[in-house]
Structures are given as C-alpha cells and as structure tokens.
Amino acid sequence: MLILLILSLDLGFCSWGYNLDTGVGAFRYIVSPRQSTLLSESPSFFGYSFKIIKNGTETSFIIGAPKAITFTNGNESCAPDLKATGDLLECPVSNLFASTPANPTCNSRNPPGTQRGDAFGQSVDLSPDGNLLACSPGKLQCCSSAVYLPGYCYNEDNHNRSWMEDVKSSQNHCLSIQLDLMFVLDGSESVTISNFELVKNWTIDVASSFDIGSGLTKIGVIQYSHYWEELGSSDTIQTYIKTEIPLGSIKSQAKFAAQVRKIRYHQFSTFTAHAINKTIRDFQNSARWNDANTRKVIILLTDGRSSDFEYLPYSAA
Ligand SMILES: *[C@@H]1O[C@H](CO)[C@@H](O)[C@H](O)[C@H]1NC(C)=O
Ligand SMILES: *[C@@H]1O[C@H](CO)[C@@H](O)[C@H](O)[C@H]1NC(C)=O
Ligand SMILES: *[C@@H]1O[C@H](CO)[C@@H](O)[C@H](O)[C@H]1NC(C)=O
Ligand SMILES: *[C@@H]1O[C@H](CO)[C@@H](O)[C@H](O)[C@H]1NC(C)=O
Ligand SMILES: *[C@@H]1O[C@H](CO)[C@@H](O)[C@H](O)[C@H]1NC(C)=O
C-alpha cells in the first residue's frame, strides 16, 4: 500500500487547524476526532506532529494536536488561563479509507496527568527500537507561588503503550526552600511595655505566614537586653540574652503564639552585639547549620542605639 501524506494547514473556515490529506486529487482528510467539541474553541492543530508506527501487523498514525483541549486527569488549578492540554492520538490506518472524509477511530495516547498548558503533541519521535518519545516543551511546573517552564519528555516503555517520564524530566522537582528564622527582640527599657507587646504581636503575625508544621521553616525567638561583662560569657549565666523559644522547638502556630505572648519583658539595657553573637551560636548548634539548602535569617527588632554599639560591626560581620 502506498500512502501519500501531505500535511496541510487548513486556512479555510473550518477551524480545526492542521489536517492530514490521505488522498491524491480528492478531498479526503483525517480530521481531528475531537472537532465537534472544539468548534467553539481555537483549532486543535491536529497534525502538528506525525509518525507512523507498527504494532504487529497493524499500522497506525500517531498524530499530535497540541492545541486540543482535553480534560483527562488535568491539574486545572495550576494554570487556569492556559487552556490547551494538547493531545497525541493513535489512529489505526485500517479504517482510514472507509469514508470521505476519512473518519478514523483515534485513541488519545496522552501520558497520565496531562495538564493545561502542556500543549502535548507538539513533537513525537520514534526510537530505533520503535518506542515513542514525545515532549511537551512548555510544560508548566507550579511550585507554590512560582511557576516554572521546565518542559517534559515522555518515553514509551517497552511498546506497552504506557508512558514514563524521561530520566532528565523526572529530575525537575520544585526546590524545597528550607528556612531557619530567628526573631531577636530588643527587651530594653526604652522600648516600653506597650511597644514590646506590639513587637510580640508583629512576631506572631510574621511567623504565621510560614509553614512550621512540616519543618520546612523552623523559627525561634531570642529576647535580649543586658550583658554582665564581669560574669563571663557563659550563656547560662547571661540570662538577659535569652533564647525564649529554641529554633524549631515549636511546630504549631497556636503554640508559638501562646509562647511568644508569655515572654516577659526584661526592661533593661541594650547589648545588641552580644545578642547577635548569641543568635549565631544558637544557629551553629542547630540541626541545619551545615545544610546548604537551608537559609538562615535573623530578624532583629530594636528601637535604636545599643549599649555595646562599639562591638556591632564585628558581630554583624
Ligand atoms: C497491539 O496489538 C495487539 C494485538 O493485536 C493488541 O492487543 C494491542 O492492544 C495493540 N496495542 C495498541 C496500543 O493498539
Ligand atoms: C496541582 O497544582 C497545585 C497548585 O500549584 C499543586 O499544589 C498541586 O500539587 C498540583 N497537583 C498535582 C496532582 O500535580
Ligand atoms: C508497562 O509500563 C509500565 C509503566 O512503565 C511498567 O510498570 C510495566 O512493567 C510495563 N509492562 C510491560 C509488560 O512491559
Ligand atoms: C496583641 O494581640 C492581642 C491578640 O490579638 C491583642 O489582644 C492585643 O491588643 C495586641 N496588643 C497590641 C499592643 O496591639
Ligand atoms: C562576636 O563574635 C565575633 C566573632 O567571633 C567577635 O569578634 C566579637 O568580639 C563578638 N562580639 C561580642 C560583643 O562578643
């Protein structure tokens, strides 16, 4: 059997985009089996990519329709404004010439989890041993508030018509951004009780936006005021530079808020440089100090000039 295939972009009033012309000198098209559901939408670009495959004695066309809209297992929440999931259809040749226009039975061959914006069917290829490889160069990946376009490819596994993510694509994961966050609160006299309450509320408020339940973010609180120069540097003696909540010790927002509200205002002096060093020591003793994937952040809330300001440049460095 000789088949002459002409890929032609249909620019006429019919809106289903690319077609495959299966006749010579006659108007015989394979049209997208989904045309009826697509008439009110843009063209599906059926025929954008194309391959012939054999399964035993059966020959089929694999036809991509990257602008098709399908709703199989889609992740609609990811990109609601990008509609096209795309489609890759397998149309057996045996029933192609039965009618004019040809009316093939085509089965969708999309991988599981096709989602809006994938435009699957833009490319399809055959490996030397006859397995299909199809890519979705514009596939989206939603990572909380950020959206990436890593692209994905799928390999057919052992002719069994099920798709596997290709090895490179499967390495595209959302970066898990771990955060260790210490609030360092100025408990000096000049802050005043009412402002100290405001600072506590602000701390609770800021902390509430982090996921502390899963441990992705760990938070802690230090209150500082006075440093007894004459008593030596031991943290157990220097009780006015105090870890009120050890980093990562609380995993519930309600408990964290309750614990912050219980913090008793020192109302003393302002040894900011010593407090920064103590905070760094807390970090150094914490579980994720050496973990490069964990960002360490100090939020220092102070009303101004410190009693040990001459040390500050060294401590902050
Ligand atoms: C391939 O052919 C076999 C035997 O005819 C059939 O059982 C199988 O479903 C076919 N596979 C596909 C994907 O059509
Ligand atoms: C779908 O997208 C949402 C939002 O980005 C994401 O949280 C969720 O994990 C995704 N679900 C699947 C099954 O991919
Ligand atoms: C078909 O593909 C699936 C998914 O990759 C795989 O788990 C399964 O073993 C394959 N089956 C055969 C018969 O190769
Ligand atoms: C702090 O928050 C608590 C509980 O929401 C509220 O009752 C209190 O008035 C707030 N304090 C200040 C100083 O805003
Ligand atoms: C803080 O630590 C730095 C570095 O170890 C040190 O040079 C500095 O003197 C310390 N500051 C105070 C106030 O102890």
Side-chain angles (χ1 to χ4, degrees), residues 55-56 58 90 109 161:
N55 174 20
E58 175 84 282
E90 178 166 354
R109 288 285 312 280
R161 300 295 194 271

Side-chain angles (χ1 to χ4, degrees), residues 179 181-183 185 198-212 217 219-221 253 256-257 260 297-301:
L179 177 66
L181 176 62
M182 282 297 259
F183 293 92
L185 314 184
L198 272 178
V199 163
K200 289 193 330 191
N201 280 6
W202 185 88
T203 301
I204 292 166
D205 203 32
V206 171
S208 71
S209 60
F210 292 103
D211 171 14
I212 60 172
T217 297
I219 49 182
V221 179
Q253 290 290 350
F256 180 79
V260 170
V297 173
I298 299 175
I299 298 183
L300 181 98
L301 292 146

Side-chain angles (χ1 to χ4, degrees), residues 223 226 228 234-242 244 266:
Q223 181 191 185
H226 194 69
W228 309 100
S234 161
D235 286 341
T236 51
I237 294 170
Q238 299 295 345
T239 53
Y240 285 89
I241 296 184
K242 185 182 178 193
E244 303 277 4
H266 290 167

Side-chain angles (χ1 to χ4, degrees), residues 38 86 95 119 148 150 171 191 201 235 246 249 288 315-317:
L38 287 168
N95 63 3
Y148 299 94
Q171 288 165 356
V191 168
N201 280 6
D235 286 341
S249 60
R288 303 198 290 204
S315 299

